[in-house]
Amino acid sequence: MRIITGTYKGRHFDIPRSFKARPTTDFAKENIFNVMNGYVDFDGATALDLFAGTGSISLELLSRGCRQVVSVEMDRDHASFIRQCVQKLNCKNHILIRGDVFRFLKSCHQQFDIIFADPPYALPTLAEIPDLVFHHDLLKPGGLFVFEHGKQNEFARHPNYVEHRAYGSVNFSLFNHRSDIIP
């Protein structure tokens, strides 16, 4: 796993073979971050990484200048790995929450400029996540919610949907706080 660009560009982290999480491929990550650049300014933004897994997205957000990144990951080993990576980078603007994403979404009172979610594609409640993000008002006006999912999911009818991007087998649906805000 490597950081694509920013302050920590080129840093590599070896993911333990025992991990169940699959990091977003470098190709997909680089492309979706290029798209995100058209919607949000990373410098000084607050970001939320749901289902943080290996921490690849969190580290990329930190490297690109986010003022604060909150990572939510339930798996103890994955959370420990994320903590170690952040410590190696000596980042002070990272918060790691080891817990259930659905509980977090229902209890969080903070709003974010950027929300990234990469749940397991087979998660039975995957389709509920965009509604939870917007129902609990977690995205700031003008913010961007990036949702990674399998090809079988379709969100074009969601009122906050903006666009869909696919890179190989990796699919992303993008949402704004309001569907009529387009860059």
Side-chain angles (χ1 to χ4, degrees), residues 102-167:
F102 292 95
R103 282 188 180 156
F104 175 83
L105 290 173
K106 292 172 184 173
S107 65
C108 181
H109 300 293
Q110 182 178 352
Q111 287 189 316
F112 300 90
D113 298 296
I114 302 163
I115 299 175
F116 196 103
D118 180 10
Y121 291 179
L123 185 70
T125 53
L126 181 141
E128 298 171 17
I129 295 168
D131 287 336
L132 286 170
V133 166
F134 290 102
H135 176 76
H136 293 285
D137 201 25
L138 299 179
L139 191 65
K140 289 181 182 177
L144 181 68
F145 170 40
V146 179
F147 191 39
E148 185 174 335
H149 55 81
K151 65 181 177 186
Q152 72 278 11
N153 299 103
E154 170 61 44
F155 296 97
R157 293 184 183 197
H158 192 281
N160 300 91
Y161 174 85
V162 176
E163 70 172 293
H164 174 262
R165 297 290 178 116
Y167 305 104

Side-chain angles (χ1 to χ4, degrees), residues 9 32-33 44 46 63 66 88 93 101 120 133 141 143 172 179 181:
K9 178 181 179 176
I32 197 61
F33 269 87
T46 56
S63 184
C66 286
K88 286 178 184 174
N93 51 343
V101 165
V133 166
F172 297 97
S179 60
I181 302 173

